[in-house]
mmCIF file of all heavy atoms in Angstrom:
data_model
loop_
_atom_site.group_PDB
_atom_site.id
_atom_site.type_symbol
_atom_site.label_atom_id
_atom_site.label_comp_id
_atom_site.label_asym_id
_atom_site.label_seq_id
_atom_site.Cartn_x
_atom_site.Cartn_y
_atom_site.Cartn_z
ATOM 1 N N THR A 407 -155.286 -148.309 88.851
ATOM 2 C CA THR A 407 -155.071 -147.014 89.346
ATOM 3 C C THR A 407 -155.926 -146.715 90.627
ATOM 4 O O THR A 407 -155.512 -146.141 91.550
ATOM 5 C CB THR A 407 -155.324 -145.862 88.360
ATOM 6 O OG1 THR A 407 -154.450 -146.075 87.194
ATOM 7 C CG2 THR A 407 -155.031 -144.470 88.883
ATOM 8 N N ALA A 408 -157.178 -147.221 90.495
ATOM 9 C CA ALA A 408 -158.085 -146.992 91.628
ATOM 10 C C ALA A 408 -157.625 -147.763 92.917
ATOM 11 O O ALA A 408 -157.667 -147.300 93.970
ATOM 12 C CB ALA A 408 -159.438 -147.576 91.207
ATOM 13 N N GLU A 409 -157.001 -148.999 92.667
ATOM 14 C CA GLU A 409 -156.520 -149.740 93.821
ATOM 15 C C GLU A 409 -155.297 -149.030 94.385
ATOM 16 O O GLU A 409 -155.119 -148.840 95.589
ATOM 17 C CB GLU A 409 -155.965 -151.112 93.327
ATOM 18 C CG GLU A 409 -157.217 -152.053 92.890
ATOM 19 C CD GLU A 409 -156.614 -153.431 92.414
ATOM 20 O OE1 GLU A 409 -155.537 -153.521 91.998
ATOM 21 O OE2 GLU A 409 -157.473 -154.400 92.378
ATOM 22 N N ALA A 410 -154.464 -148.433 93.579
ATOM 23 C CA ALA A 410 -153.268 -147.709 94.024
ATOM 24 C C ALA A 410 -153.676 -146.542 94.854
ATOM 25 O O ALA A 410 -153.153 -146.202 95.870
ATOM 26 C CB ALA A 410 -152.434 -147.230 92.847
ATOM 27 N N MET A 411 -154.776 -145.803 94.379
ATOM 28 C CA MET A 411 -155.191 -144.610 95.045
ATOM 29 C C MET A 411 -155.789 -144.941 96.386
ATOM 30 O O MET A 411 -155.497 -144.201 97.432
ATOM 31 C CB MET A 411 -156.220 -143.908 94.206
ATOM 32 C CG MET A 411 -155.713 -143.227 92.905
ATOM 33 S SD MET A 411 -156.960 -142.561 91.755
ATOM 34 C CE MET A 411 -157.540 -141.223 92.719
ATOM 35 N N LEU A 412 -156.587 -146.001 96.469
ATOM 36 C CA LEU A 412 -157.184 -146.399 97.745
ATOM 37 C C LEU A 412 -156.040 -146.920 98.722
ATOM 38 O O LEU A 412 -156.143 -146.637 99.834
ATOM 39 C CB LEU A 412 -158.111 -147.533 97.601
ATOM 40 C CG LEU A 412 -159.475 -147.122 96.916
ATOM 41 C CD1 LEU A 412 -160.403 -148.368 96.658
ATOM 42 C CD2 LEU A 412 -160.251 -146.105 97.849
ATOM 43 N N CYS A 413 -155.052 -147.573 98.199
ATOM 44 C CA CYS A 413 -153.949 -148.086 99.047
ATOM 45 C C CYS A 413 -153.108 -146.843 99.570
ATOM 46 O O CYS A 413 -152.772 -146.821 100.832
ATOM 47 C CB CYS A 413 -152.921 -148.893 98.268
ATOM 48 S SG CYS A 413 -153.711 -150.436 97.797
ATOM 49 N N LEU A 414 -152.939 -145.852 98.688
ATOM 50 C CA LEU A 414 -152.161 -144.676 99.158
ATOM 51 C C LEU A 414 -153.016 -143.952 100.218
ATOM 52 O O LEU A 414 -152.411 -143.426 101.199
ATOM 53 C CB LEU A 414 -151.851 -143.751 97.947
ATOM 54 C CG LEU A 414 -151.005 -142.541 98.211
ATOM 55 C CD1 LEU A 414 -149.667 -143.013 98.823
ATOM 56 C CD2 LEU A 414 -150.815 -141.742 96.953
ATOM 57 N N GLY A 415 -154.351 -143.881 100.120
ATOM 58 C CA GLY A 415 -155.157 -143.256 101.082
ATOM 59 C C GLY A 415 -155.086 -143.956 102.357
ATOM 60 O O GLY A 415 -155.035 -143.296 103.474
ATOM 61 N N PHE A 416 -155.055 -145.294 102.331
ATOM 62 C CA PHE A 416 -154.979 -146.086 103.609
ATOM 63 C C PHE A 416 -153.699 -145.739 104.314
ATOM 64 O O PHE A 416 -153.619 -145.521 105.633
ATOM 65 C CB PHE A 416 -154.981 -147.540 103.228
ATOM 66 C CG PHE A 416 -154.697 -148.512 104.348
ATOM 67 C CD1 PHE A 416 -155.702 -148.877 105.275
ATOM 68 C CD2 PHE A 416 -153.519 -149.160 104.518
ATOM 69 C CE1 PHE A 416 -155.546 -149.640 106.266
ATOM 70 C CE2 PHE A 416 -153.368 -150.012 105.596
ATOM 71 C CZ PHE A 416 -154.270 -150.342 106.438
ATOM 72 N N VAL A 417 -152.543 -145.665 103.518
ATOM 73 C CA VAL A 417 -151.213 -145.323 104.163
ATOM 74 C C VAL A 417 -151.151 -143.907 104.681
ATOM 75 O O VAL A 417 -150.583 -143.591 105.616
ATOM 76 C CB VAL A 417 -150.089 -145.668 103.174
ATOM 77 C CG1 VAL A 417 -148.766 -145.248 103.730
ATOM 78 C CG2 VAL A 417 -150.058 -147.174 102.924
ATOM 79 N N ASN A 418 -151.666 -142.947 103.781
ATOM 80 C CA ASN A 418 -151.581 -141.570 104.057
ATOM 81 C C ASN A 418 -152.251 -141.153 105.386
ATOM 82 O O ASN A 418 -151.864 -140.177 105.922
ATOM 83 C CB ASN A 418 -152.191 -140.723 102.947
ATOM 84 C CG ASN A 418 -151.129 -140.274 101.961
ATOM 85 O OD1 ASN A 418 -149.869 -140.207 102.276
ATOM 86 N ND2 ASN A 418 -151.447 -139.860 100.840
ATOM 87 N N GLU A 419 -153.235 -141.953 105.869
ATOM 88 C CA GLU A 419 -153.766 -141.609 107.141
ATOM 89 C C GLU A 419 -152.701 -141.516 108.221
ATOM 90 O O GLU A 419 -152.781 -140.818 109.156
ATOM 91 C CB GLU A 419 -154.866 -142.615 107.523
ATOM 92 C CG GLU A 419 -156.106 -142.511 106.726
ATOM 93 C CD GLU A 419 -157.224 -143.401 107.147
ATOM 94 O OE1 GLU A 419 -156.952 -144.201 108.072
ATOM 95 O OE2 GLU A 419 -158.259 -143.395 106.453
ATOM 96 N N MET A 420 -151.758 -142.464 108.152
ATOM 97 C CA MET A 420 -150.634 -142.399 109.078
ATOM 98 C C MET A 420 -149.540 -141.367 108.785
ATOM 99 O O MET A 420 -148.978 -140.761 109.657
ATOM 100 C CB MET A 420 -149.997 -143.864 109.183
ATOM 101 C CG MET A 420 -150.969 -144.959 109.502
ATOM 102 S SD MET A 420 -151.871 -144.692 111.130
ATOM 103 C CE MET A 420 -150.474 -144.778 112.222
ATOM 104 N N VAL A 421 -149.238 -141.192 107.493
ATOM 105 C CA VAL A 421 -148.244 -140.205 107.132
ATOM 106 C C VAL A 421 -148.566 -138.901 107.468
ATOM 107 O O VAL A 421 -147.774 -138.074 107.974
ATOM 108 C CB VAL A 421 -147.872 -140.302 105.547
ATOM 109 C CG1 VAL A 421 -146.994 -139.255 105.142
ATOM 110 C CG2 VAL A 421 -147.592 -141.732 105.220
ATOM 111 N N GLU A 422 -149.920 -138.546 107.389
ATOM 112 C CA GLU A 422 -150.290 -137.238 107.803
ATOM 113 C C GLU A 422 -150.189 -136.925 109.219
ATOM 114 O O GLU A 422 -150.307 -135.722 109.594
ATOM 115 C CB GLU A 422 -151.769 -136.988 107.289
ATOM 116 C CG GLU A 422 -152.020 -136.896 105.775
ATOM 117 C CD GLU A 422 -153.362 -136.907 105.329
ATOM 118 O OE1 GLU A 422 -154.288 -137.077 106.237
ATOM 119 O OE2 GLU A 422 -153.663 -136.853 104.197
ATOM 120 N N LEU A 423 -149.953 -137.857 109.994
ATOM 121 C CA LEU A 423 -149.769 -137.657 111.473
ATOM 122 C C LEU A 423 -148.293 -137.229 111.830
ATOM 123 O O LEU A 423 -148.137 -136.793 112.923
ATOM 124 C CB LEU A 423 -150.108 -138.996 112.285
ATOM 125 C CG LEU A 423 -151.525 -139.377 112.244
ATOM 126 C CD1 LEU A 423 -151.614 -140.758 113.028
ATOM 127 C CD2 LEU A 423 -152.487 -138.415 112.829
#
Side-chain angles (χ1 to χ4, degrees):
T407 303
E409 288 178 344
M411 292 173 68
L412 287 175
C413 292
L414 187 58
F416 174 81
V417 172
N418 263 341
E419 287 183 2
M420 301 304 293
V421 175
E422 290 172 356
L423 296 177

